Amino acid sequence: MSAAPPHAPATTLLIRPSRGLSALNLRDLWHYRELAFFLMWRDISVRYKQTVLGAAWAIIQPFMTMVVFSVFFGRLGKIPSDGLPYPLFAFCALIPWQLFSNSLSEAGNSLVANQALVTKVYFPRLVIPIGATLAGLLDFAIAFVVLLAMMAYYGHAPTAAVWTLPLFVLLAIVTALGVGLWLSALNVQYRDVRYTIPFLTQFWLFATPIAYPSSLVPERWRALLGLNPMAGVVEGFRWALLGSGHAPQALLAVSVLVSVAVLVSGLFHFRRMERTFADTV
Amino acid sequence: MSGVALRARGLSKRYRIGASQARYKTFRESLTEAVTAPVQRAAAALAGAMGRGPRRVAEDEAHVWALADVSFTIAEGEVVGIVGRNGAGKSTLLKILSRITEPTAGEAAILGRVGSLLEVGTGFHPELTGRENIFLNGAILGMRHREIRRKFDEIVAFSEVEKFIDTPMKHYSTGMYMRLAFSVAAHLEPDILLVDEVLAVGDAAFQKKCLGKMGDVAREGRTVLFVSHQMNTIRKLCGRCLWLDGGKLRMDGPTVHVVSGYEAGLATVAADDARRIEGGNLPAQFLAWDIVEPRGDAPNVVTTTGPLTLRTTLRVSRPIRRGVHGIALYNSENQLMWAWAKYDLTLEPGRHELLYALPGLPLRPGVYWWHVSLSDEGTMLDLWHCVPEMIIATEPLGHPRDEWTGVLNVGCTLEVRREAREAGR
């Protein structure tokens, strides 16, 4: 009876109330990395179950938005598109936007949606919004294929800078996760957040140069656009894929800084709120 | 002697009263709190430094201590039961120990890997197949992918749902769902296992299997903390018990003592419900039952194995000519212990005391229920599942080990005599 199991680690776990800023405890998070992937995989495999159109939804949403934009902004509004065919111009920006807005709203609602897990099992709670954010990548990949098809249709080959594309995807993900962390933690306490998210993404959509080019903004103010990290992502996509404008350096630098700031503050805020999640969710 | 697996010191948890209040805090409240909290915290720290305990922090009325200053130590390999009424703090304690929620004060040190089972099937998704859910659920419980793959066949075999393993779980019956859920959990290999009432699922056969598995875990030398309302299970599995009452640790000791004390404690509360509400127009009605001159402190607690007298009160509103009165005793598993009947009973209208003289009730300590009935000329007039329950709180006289506790509580003496023929050789 007295023999300890052979695999017993000699680590002592100390449970006590925490005060002030919590450490991020990334080692614990790393230990549970498989769970983040499992949650992502679950969200993906469940998403289109019992739907008729299935994964086609990943294409329909951005595609229809592109059609609406092309008719109203491109054709009727005569909004310039940097010399590119307007549908291609809009779709190229809508793809990363879709990734961002889906990931953001999934992450924002993730803790509340996984209430049962939060109140019954221990694991680093960060795993939940991370998994939810990453689950948007599959839809993105599907829609991206459509974008490539459109480029072929309009006879546009990707530029040499196409290798930078993953970096812009990463920027979109990091931004979505950063904002998602803030929102998901707030959502636990204030359910208002759930109703705020659709508004937020809608306003954000128009604040981002998706339906219009950033060249509409005077040159000296343009870097300010970068305060919205999604402006950096969208400009980056157009530059790397379609070769519009030149490398958005200043704007991008601002975007990256803002995005990282949001992520880091989101992480700490999340960790701070984490101790009361199980009690208030 | 084995080492310490878990040490809790002054564990306390404070909740706000009224879940809605806590949940929908307004922004204004939060702002006020943000301003005042650091001041309060500083005051608390100061108080702490001056030698007063952390328990003295802002004990205002909007809060309730779900757990108050609970301390105990558990040695490696011990199997400890936690008993207490609903809201006594049992689940809160397990939630703190499994790191789901933080204590408000106090601390606990745990040596080794903790596995907690506060619910079976946490995170199961109805759209996913049994196979997929095993991997998902395993990961949620903290198992590695490799580990799950290694144990996969074992898990499926234990659950007895091989045939449906590739069917979405929404098509499973409740029993199948529970079996699969428990199987995954049962194959966790923690050093310390925290279990909350999860064995109360599934059919009797599967429950038995689960109990067997729990017993194996205990015999393998793992430390187990086990919450249950099933005193039989507690008696069977646990050598030691903690009794929580109103968030405080009321008793800590050998299971037999703690459980008897807990059951006697239950009785004093339940006694308030003992009287039946009188319905005026019923032909006959049993109103109450008790033990005449109980030696214990409550009229439903038996503390002797010797003779005792039981009493029921019966009101009859019409003459009974050929009455049949039955009385039966069931244990908490609804197993009939004893029954007896009186035929050709004649009763006049009015209230009657029925006294039953028994030579003794040599039943093992636990909870029992009396059932009494009265019928006249084949028509059932009243059938009463008596409240409160009867508690037998005698000293156990049988085998000292809990797994050998039977139905009867009978003492025995042994005399060893050498056969005369052999002795004379």
Side-chain angles (χ1 to χ4, degrees):
Chain A
M1 280 294 275
S2 64
H7 59 280
T11 52
T12 302
L13 174 71
L14 201 61
I15 296 169
R16 53 156 55 137
S18 52
R19 301 241 180 274
L21 275 181
S22 315
L24 289 181
N25 206 353
L26 293 177
R27 182 192 290 189
D28 208 19
L29 188 64
W30 178 246
H31 181 85
Y32 277 90
R33 63 191 183 281
E34 280 182 358
L35 182 55
F37 285 105
F38 268 116
L39 290 177
M40 174 188 81
W41 163 80
R42 177 197 67 180
D43 288 350
I44 287 173
S45 51
V46 163
R47 184 170 295 164
Y48 297 117
K49 288 253 164 97
Q50 226 164 21
T51 59
V52 178
L53 296 179
W57 281 112
I59 301 165
I60 293 168
Q61 284 178 22
F63 196 81
M64 293 312 285
T65 316
M66 179 271 287
V67 170
V68 171
F69 278 15
S70 300
V71 172
F72 290 98
F73 296 123
R75 200 50 69 75
L76 300 177
K78 300 261 185 291
I79 288 177
S81 52
D82 287 348
L84 294 162
Y86 188 89
L88 191 58
F89 169 83
F91 199 66
C92 182
L94 276 168
I95 298 298
W97 171 259
Q98 200 76 15
L99 169 68
F100 170 76
S101 75
N102 282 348
S103 298
L104 171 64
S105 46
E106 288 293 324
N109 288 315
S110 60
L111 277 179
V112 175
N114 287 290
Q115 220 173 60
L117 290 187
V118 173
T119 55
K120 295 292 181 191
V121 194
Y122 169 78
F123 53 83
R125 306 314 189 191
L126 275 170
V127 163
I128 293 181
I130 289 175
T133 307
L134 294 180
L137 281 171
L138 182 74
D139 280 8
F140 171 77
I142 296 170
F144 191 74
V145 174
V146 177
L147 176 62
L148 291 180
M150 267 180 79
M151 286 170 64
Y153 175 80
Y154 284 105
H156 252 278
T159 68
V162 71
W163 64 271
T164 55
L165 209 59
L167 300 177
F168 297 116
V169 175
L170 183 68
L171 182 59
I173 287 284
V174 166
T175 312
L177 182 61
V179 181
L181 287 176
W182 274 99
L183 292 179
S184 61
L186 285 170
N187 202 1
V188 168
Q189 211 160 18
Y190 311 103
R191 291 296 148 82
D192 316 57
V193 171
R194 188 199 323 207
Y195 306 107
T196 316
I197 289 175
F199 274 124
L200 182 71
T201 51
Q202 203 152 15
F203 284 130
W204 205 324
L205 169 68
F206 289 106
T208 307
I210 292 171
Y212 54 90
S214 65
S215 52
L216 280 188
V217 179
E219 186 81 47
R220 58 203 162 105
W221 299 113
R222 207 166 296 162
L224 279 183
L225 261 186
L227 287 175
N228 166 12
M230 283 312 290
V233 172
V234 163
E235 284 301 296
F237 256 71
R238 284 190 182 133
W239 168 70
L241 277 173
L242 307 176
S244 83
H246 35 78
Q249 288 152 342
L251 187 146
L252 197 61
V254 176
S255 287
V256 168
L257 280 179
V258 171
S259 176
V260 168
V262 171
L263 179 68
V264 170
S265 63
L267 281 170
F268 278 101
H269 176 252
F270 190 94
R271 283 286 298 159
R272 200 183 139 75
M273 301 305 289
E274 187 175 355
R275 42 186 114 128
T276 57
F277 282 169
D279 303 335
T280 43
V281 73
Chain B
M1 192 57 214
S2 48
V4 170
L6 193 160
R7 177 180 286 123
R9 252 200 318 241
L11 275 189
S12 306
K13 176 78 184 177
R14 187 180 57 177
Y15 282 111
R16 253 174 200 248
I17 294 177
S20 59
Q21 228 179 336
R23 195 169 301 165
Y24 300 113
K25 248 205 279 187
T26 63
F27 279 106
R28 186 179 58 82
E29 264 179 340
S30 309
L31 278 179
T32 330
E33 254 185 37
V35 175
T36 56
V39 180
Q40 276 174 3
R41 223 179 287 146
L46 208 63
M50 284 159 71
R52 281 188 285 162
R55 278 276 284 103
R56 325 254 338 213
V57 186
E59 199 143 347
D60 53 311
E61 281 169 19
H63 294 95
V64 60
W65 290 91
L67 210 60
D69 203 11
V70 170
S71 306
F72 55 88
T73 303
I74 289 172
E76 258 171 39
E78 250 190 313
V79 181
V80 178
I82 303 176
V83 299
R85 292 197 289 143
N86 289 334
K90 308 185 294 288
S91 300
T92 306
L93 177 60
L94 287 199
K95 276 190 177 177
I96 289 174
L97 294 180
S98 49
R99 288 200 286 166
I100 291 167
T101 181
E102 276 193 356
T104 312
E107 62 173 44
I110 301 178
L111 189 73
R113 180 171 143 174
V114 182
S116 70
L117 245 146
L118 305 197
E119 186 187 69
V120 290
T122 309
F124 270 10
H125 199 288
E127 295 285 355
L128 299 178
T129 67
R131 181 187 302 275
E132 293 168 332
N133 268 312
I134 290 178
F135 281 94
L136 177 63
N137 189 230
I140 287 170
L141 293 176
M143 279 193 244
R144 290 301 186 77
H145 190 256
R146 237 177 311 130
E147 197 181 344
I148 307 169
R149 222 169 22 208
R150 188 156 43 80
K151 292 180 185 157
F152 185 83
D153 294 332
E154 218 180 308
I155 292 174
V156 176
F158 189 85
S159 70
E160 303 164 13
V161 297
E162 290 99 332
K163 262 195 261 171
F164 304 97
I165 200 68
D166 288 312
T167 311
M169 283 193 73
K170 61 179 172 181
H171 301 303
Y172 278 34
S173 71
T174 316
M176 285 158 61
Y177 182 97
M178 286 303 179
R179 287 211 294 273
L180 190 62
F182 186 83
S183 303
V184 181
H187 288 82
L188 262 177
E189 279 175 354
D191 304 310
I192 299 173
L193 183 63
L194 310 172
V195 188
D196 192 0
E197 198 83 72
V198 286
L199 296 175
V201 298
D203 50 49
F206 191 71
Q207 265 188 40
K208 212 166 214 176
K209 202 166 160 182
C210 294
L211 275 179
K213 187 81 191 174
M214 293 279 305
D216 291 347
V217 170
R219 270 187 292 282
E220 279 165 22
R222 303 245 172 81
T223 312
V224 183
L225 241 77
F226 181 58
V227 165
S228 181
H229 286 114
Q230 301 289 315
M231 291 306 133
N232 286 323
T233 313
I234 295 257
R235 279 202 182 91
K236 247 179 234 160
L237 289 176
C238 312
R240 177 179 154 200
C241 252
L242 306 178
W243 172 12
L244 289 179
D245 190 18
K248 295 198 175 69
L249 184 61
R250 178 141 164 202
M251 208 169 164
D252 174 2
T255 297
V256 247
H257 295 288
V258 177
V259 168
S260 303
Y262 167 63
E263 283 176 331
L266 263 190
T268 52
V269 178
D272 300 339
D273 314 326
R275 292 197 68 80
R276 239 179 153 191
I277 298 153
E278 269 182 76
N281 46 10
L282 291 170
Q285 198 181 18
F286 288 97
L287 297 175
W289 83 274
D290 64 343
I291 295 160
V292 184
E293 290 174 37
R295 259 155 270 213
D297 48 3
N300 65 330
V301 180
V302 178
T303 51
T304 171
T305 48
L308 76 159
T309 305
L310 193 77
R311 168 169 56 197
T312 59
T313 314
L314 172 68
R315 186 184 50 74
V316 183
S317 56
R318 68 167 163 82
I320 306 286
R321 287 296 156 249
R322 289 184 56 220
V324 180
H325 167 49
I327 180 163
L329 182 62
Y330 288 86
N331 69 4
S332 55
E333 286 164 349
N334 240 350
Q335 210 176 358
L336 182 63
M337 296 286 106
W338 173 77
W340 183 81
K342 172 76 180 162
Y343 292 86
D344 293 323
L345 198 64
T346 330
L347 290 167
E348 297 307 319
R351 287 171 80 109
H352 304 272
E353 259 186 5
L354 309 181
L355 295 157
Y356 315 76
L358 299 167
L361 283 174
L363 295 169
R364 66 148 161 186
V367 180
Y368 295 86
W369 299 92
W370 287 106
H371 289 193
V372 288
S373 70
L374 181 72
S375 60
D376 190 21
E377 296 179 333
T379 315
M380 182 65 75
L381 300 181
D382 193 24
L383 171 65
W384 186 36
H385 296 200
C386 307
V387 282
E389 69 278 42
M390 178 173 73
I391 311 279
I392 295 193
T394 50
E395 200 60 35
L397 301 173
H399 199 287
R401 306 237 349 215
D402 278 349
E403 62 259 41
W404 287 105
T405 318
V407 173
L408 298 179
N409 188 27
V410 180
C412 175
T413 55
L414 175 70
E415 191 186 12
V416 183
R417 231 184 249 173
R418 220 159 166 197
E419 276 186 35
R421 206 167 44 114
E422 213 173 320
R425 233 186 244 171

